Amino acid sequence: MKHQPPPPPLPLTQPPSLGGGGVGGVSGSVISSSSGSSSIVANAISSLNGNNSATSSSSCIQPANNNNNHNNNINNISSSFEAGKSRPPLYPKPKTPSFDKDRDYIGFATLPEQVHRKSVKRGFEFTLMVVGESGLGKSTLINSLFLGDLYKNRQMPNVEERIEKTTRVEKKTMDIEERGVRLRLTVVDTPGFGDAINCEDSWRVCTSYIDEQFRQYFTDESGLNRRNIQDNRVHCCLYFVPPWGHSLRQMDLDLIRRLHRKVNIVLVIGKADCLNKQEVRKLKERILQDLEDNHIQLYQFPECDSDEDDDFKQQDRELKASIPFAVVGSNTILEVAGKKVRGRQYPWGVVNVEDPEHSDFIKLRTFLISTHMQDLKDTTQDVHYENFRAQCISQISQHALRERGKLKRDSISSTNGFDAAISETDRLLLQKDEEIRRMQDMLTQMQEKLKQTHLMEMKKNDSVIDV
Ligand code: GDP
């Protein structure tokens, strides 16, 4: 038989062009904001260049000097939190299958690359909720994490206003691009949380916002047009704990208890530079103990795959051991020993935000962005949203059953004779009900039989062992 030559390889499209900085370059990130602050990282980037009062309004940050030694850029997010560790490239070029070399080649080995390319093309979405009372450093931390300026036009309320104020929800979105990968980040802030004397409404605002997003997604998903569904579900909630308490306060426990089955909660001790190392350790221990005593489950880190490399396993262990993350935030770039660092200046020295000895900032950023962002999304979809969906469906079916019963009763009572009253549809419905009941009975009987057979089998096995 004459051998047919294999078809020529399909051309694999190249990834979208890099932001200009190149892989591992210092600045390849393009950031724009939907709230009109198109120069979202202008300040951050210009601070990196030694200019803290940048006013550039460009929405596209061009690559800075590649030889720049700053480690504050968003491209470094993908780097491990210990300097010098090499991580695999985030966006590897897909391999072209070599048909000529391998005649047994079918082709499905490229499936991961196909999925990869498709999702990169589509872009990613992530919604982060920040909860905690005013002044705990939430906005500073978010700006430091994503090198943005999401809170440019913020107005701080005075004390009287804060006492009166109710909790609101403020949503801000920014588009970030890094090495051709687009991320639409939405930050949901809850200004006024815990400020009023009565904190009742604080938790209600948070829970109803989360539920509302689930409800919206459920409605969109059940609708006719399921294309272009906007996913506004909250994937992670950063809950800020003040550093000055002994542990969690009653209001923290109340809120976390109400939220922990709806959203992935990650606890963060804000302004951790107010505490020394020993105090941080003790506070973390007491918080974890409180959570255990109150049967509260925060976001559970998935187990590391056994085939992961040792560095990754070690990093995963360190991340798990750092919970709750004790963080320090700052948007100020300081020069320490000739190196530019993001830090806070005190009379006795500089707190370097990115130094693991000073704060868990880099660990939090690694966890949130580099290693667990997808798992946070998966857990939201597979656990929290599924719970919500199951509840919705059971409520809908219960409501439908009640309505049907009511309709049946109404139609019967509206006529005199029972037989004459049953319309054709009602008769069919009753028939179906009867059928379902019969099938359920059969199922119960079969289950019973199976159980008995299983028991008998076990007894038989026991007697064999006895002998
Ligand atoms: P938010 O109201 O929770 O968003 O708090 P802000 O981010 O506006 O911070 C309130 C004040 O605390 C500002 O003056 C910040 O400079 C300062 N701040 C922010 N983060 C830290 C931190 O980690 N440590 C210390 N000591 N101060 C911080």
Side-chain angles (χ1 to χ4, degrees), residues 133-140 154 156 271 273-274 327-329 344 346:
E133 64 194 70
S134 301
L136 278 185
K138 299 185 299 297
S139 18
T140 310
R154 191 174 172 214
M156 293 300 289
K271 295 190 169 179
D273 52 336
C274 299
V327 294
V328 180
R344 304 190 74 82
Y346 291 105

Side-chain angles (χ1 to χ4, degrees), residues 90-255:
L90 271 183
Y91 191 23
K93 196 178 151 195
K95 285 190 194 96
T96 312
S98 54
F99 293 98
D100 290 338
K101 281 185 201 150
D102 193 351
R103 301 223 174 257
D104 296 332
Y105 186 85
I106 299 173
F108 58 82
T110 64
L111 270 175
E113 276 125 44
Q114 292 175 36
V115 174
H116 177 102
R117 280 200 335 258
K118 220 170 171 182
S119 27
V120 167
K121 215 166 131 192
R122 208 182 299 133
F124 297 85
E125 288 174 336
F126 190 73
T127 302
L128 181 68
M129 187 181 228
V130 270
V131 179
E133 64 194 70
S134 301
L136 278 185
K138 299 185 299 297
S139 18
T140 310
L141 186 84
I142 295 298
N143 283 342
S144 320
L145 279 174
F146 297 99
L147 297 176
D149 190 4
L150 273 174
Y151 299 89
K152 230 166 53 185
N153 305 319
R154 191 174 172 214
Q155 282 174 354
M156 293 300 289
N158 60 31
V159 178
E160 286 105 57
E161 280 170 341
R162 280 176 64 177
I163 291 172
E164 293 294 315
K165 235 172 145 182
T166 49
T167 312
R168 307 190 307 281
V169 170
E170 257 177 35
K171 217 168 107 176
K172 293 185 169 87
T173 303
M174 64 173 169
D175 293 310
I176 316 176
E177 193 172 327
E178 183 184 60
R179 297 193 208 162
V181 180
R182 280 175 296 116
L183 171 71
R184 168 158 282 220
L185 172 77
T186 305
V187 177
V188 180
D189 198 357
T190 50
F193 176 88
D195 287 351
I197 291 169
N198 182 1
C199 296
E200 267 285 295
D201 91 308
S202 293
W203 63 259
R204 206 161 282 140
V205 168
C206 298
T207 49
S208 52
Y209 180 83
I210 292 168
D211 281 344
E212 192 43 51
Q213 306 319 306
F214 278 150
R215 196 164 297 122
Q216 186 60 51
Y217 193 83
F218 181 70
T219 316
D220 290 350
E221 210 187 32
S222 327
L224 274 180
N225 184 6
R226 285 152 50 101
R227 258 183 289 162
N228 306 324
I229 296 180
Q230 183 109 36
D231 184 6
N232 289 320
R233 293 171 298 176
V234 179
H235 301 119
C236 178
C237 169
L238 283 189
Y239 190 91
F240 278 70
V241 179
W244 39 79
H246 287 286
S247 183
L248 293 173
R249 299 158 300 175
Q250 194 53 47
M251 66 168 275
D252 297 323
L253 286 170
D254 283 349
L255 183 96

Side-chain angles (χ1 to χ4, degrees), residues 33-50:
S33 159
S34 69
S35 55
S37 50
S38 55
S39 61
I40 230 150
V41 286
N43 283 347
I45 301 291
S46 69
S47 335
L48 291 172
N49 293 331

Side-chain angles (χ1 to χ4, degrees), residues 415-423:
T415 53
N416 296 331
F418 177 75
D419 286 338
I422 296 178
S423 68

